[in-house]
Amino acid sequence: MPAHRFVLVARSRHWTQDETLSSNNTLDLSHMTSLVALSMLRWVYTDSVILPSEQATMIELLAATNKYHLGQLKEK
């Protein structure tokens, strides 16, 4: 999934430390469902999120916030 490096780095220290981000043109989020990936990226770019109604999807989104060090998203 294409993304802007400077936006990602500004939102999370995970991407600051991720050396693969500096050498790739895409962000691989294939390990998550498209709904979770879009929710996470929407928050990264807009600071707003539409929380999923399904419990399993919400758990996956919370796991993504932990993996990518998105504490502010987790608080929402």
Side-chain angles (χ1 to χ4, degrees):
M1 183 171 288
H4 297 96
R5 284 183 188 98
F6 69 92
V7 174
L8 297 173
V9 169
R11 289 301 240 173
S12 170
R13 64 186 165 101
H14 172 82
W15 289 303
T16 304
Q17 300 167 353
D18 188 358
E19 294 177 15
T20 61
L21 190 58
S22 63
S23 62
N24 288 327
N25 290 326
T26 57
L27 179 62
D28 181 12
L29 299 177
S30 61
H31 60 282
M32 41 174 101
T33 63
S34 59
L35 179 60
V36 170
L38 289 173
S39 294
M40 185 180 75
L41 287 177
R42 176 179 284 125
W43 178 81
V44 165
Y45 279 90
T46 67
D47 199 41
S48 66
V49 65
I50 299 170
L51 296 174
S53 57
E54 272 188 33
Q55 185 177 8
T57 307
M58 178 61 87
I59 291 169
E60 187 181 351
L61 180 58
L62 286 171
T65 64
N66 286 331
K67 178 177 180 163
Y68 293 105
H69 306 283
L70 302 171
Q72 292 175 346
L73 172 56
K74 189 175 183 178
E75 292 173 9
K76 290 192 180 249

